[in-house]
Amino acid sequence: MIYRDKKWLLVMYFFYMAILIAGTYVFGKQALSGRPLYYLVLLLLWLGVAKNIWILEKRRRGK
């Protein structure tokens, strides 16, 4: 299974971290410039990435 292969797991972690860093940069700039709706977008971005990493860990452990 692809989720138990350590190489693919590492690739997925880097992919999610790249999304998190880029999204935080872009949406954080918007939020700090006075657009409060982007704080909600940032929260949803962080929760989505955390959920996906949690699912990866769950599948990797076979539970």
Side-chain angles (χ1 to χ4, degrees):
M1 185 175 211
I2 192 170
Y3 295 105
R4 294 196 181 145
D5 185 14
K6 290 189 183 215
K7 180 183 75 171
W8 284 109
L9 191 63
L10 191 61
V11 167
M12 291 301 289
Y13 281 136
F14 282 138
F15 176 70
Y16 286 134
M17 290 310 294
I19 289 174
L20 191 64
I21 290 168
T24 301
Y25 175 74
V26 170
F27 295 127
K29 260 179 108 172
Q30 293 294 322
L32 291 175
S33 71
R35 297 185 175 141
L37 181 63
Y38 282 95
Y39 286 114
L40 177 64
V41 173
L42 270 174
L43 177 67
L44 292 175
L45 173 76
W46 277 80
L47 288 176
V49 169
K51 179 192 68 117
N52 285 330
I53 290 176
W54 179 71
I55 289 172
L56 278 178
E57 282 295 316
K58 188 175 166 183
R59 288 184 180 169
R60 183 181 65 88
R61 292 184 184 151
K63 294 180 181 178

